[in-house]
Amino acid sequence: MNEVLIKAITELNEDKVIKMVKSLLKEGASSQDILDILQEGMDNVGNLYEQSEYFIADLIMAGIIFREILNLDEMKFDHDSPKKKFVGKIVLGTVKGDLHDIGKDIFSDIATSAGFLVYDLGVDVPPEKFVQKIIETDADIVGMSGVLSLAITSMKETIDAIRNAGLRDKVKIIAGGNHLTKDSGAYIGADETTNNATAGLKICKKWTKKID
Amino acid sequence: MSNFIIACEMLKDEVLKSQQNTGNKDPVKWMDSILHMDPDKLRADLQDVIDGSTGYDNLLFVYGSCGNGLVGLKATTARLIVPKTADCITMLLYGRNDIDSIRKDTYFLTKGWLEGEKNLRNEYQHSVDKYGEEKARHIFKVMLNHYRYLMLIDSSAYDIDEYIKISEELAIKLELEFMIKTGNVTMMDKLLQGQWDEDFCVVPKGGELTFSSFGTSSCDTILNKF
């Protein structure tokens, strides 16, 4: 069944994927099992894009399917359950001057599903808004997103503002965007960079384990 | 001084126009425009071209940072001259102070972009064929969320009339506001004429193009790194 589901995701067969995920959840699969299968299919989609088989539109379609699954009731982290507490708090936003939100939204969804409390500030977020929200929420992690080249400058300004507010040692900072490299991450002063929402979530999980 | 031009074929019309403007006759290596979709592959392919370009004093790049695709290039065989721009949009709209605010909510087109293998028009048609009209609209609503304008840049290097109609039709399908802005090939003219001022990064032979090369006014090259 898993192989068939991975294939359906890879082929971006929306109806089939949703039907199969619902059936797996009914049979008792955990949301984490589903996420793992989903990720494998998504990786295949990414590879096909890199091999020029798929278009950007297909990547977007993959994102749409991903979000659709995460929005199923069974996939949602039960934040109201007294047994479950938040894994950590993340202040998230697309940096000033950039309006791209696909990657940010996917990250927000999977982080929420994984038990993080996510404060999503939206797009075109100025540095002071990040600072304000960190203070207000006592966040553990800041997630900055952006795909335009100018986003790198905005990310650096955001981290500078966090440092100037005396908060740099209180938060871990991850920057996400397709064009980010270790080199640019070092330039902006982030702890980590990623161009993959799931890999970004793994980094955040690793950090919060250390925090606990 | 012997120069060799390495250019993205997306900008072919503009480079040819600039060569015409300046009387430049340097040889040109046209790089596949699809490479801009994959900065790592772009970097690897450009490095291969650099490594194989012996006997020249300067390699002139008609490229911007292009998603950091040029960051890390090593000047193994000659001096590298690279425009300090984020990408070709900034290059073609050279001299505009409002570039950052324009590009925030604008999708850009030229003849080169409209004829590229995976251009916006093909993307849309592919989506309609694969997912149907309704789903295609949804995909593009997500893809172009927050975009307001579809801008055709008139770089003066091609006959714009033919592309106005195509762009207008696309704008209607994508529910974006269509506009035309006049661009220029000034930056390429400067590149080809050796006017390598603060708008260019000059990496000496043996150096490396770094991330900050594009972001600061002075070139930050790493010498003797390899």
Side-chain angles (χ1 to χ4, degrees), chain B residues 66-79:
Chain B
C66 299
N68 284 337
L70 271 78
V71 171
L73 287 181
K74 296 174 175 68
T76 50
T77 53
R79 200 154 60 142

Side-chain angles (χ1 to χ4, degrees), chain B residues 162-180:
Chain B
E162 194 183 328
Y163 296 92
I164 291 177
K165 192 169 178 289
I166 296 170
S167 309
E168 269 179 330
E169 283 172 5
L170 195 55
I172 292 168
K173 281 181 190 159
L174 302 175
E175 294 175 36
L176 296 173
E177 207 175 304
F178 175 65
M179 59 159 82
I180 303 172

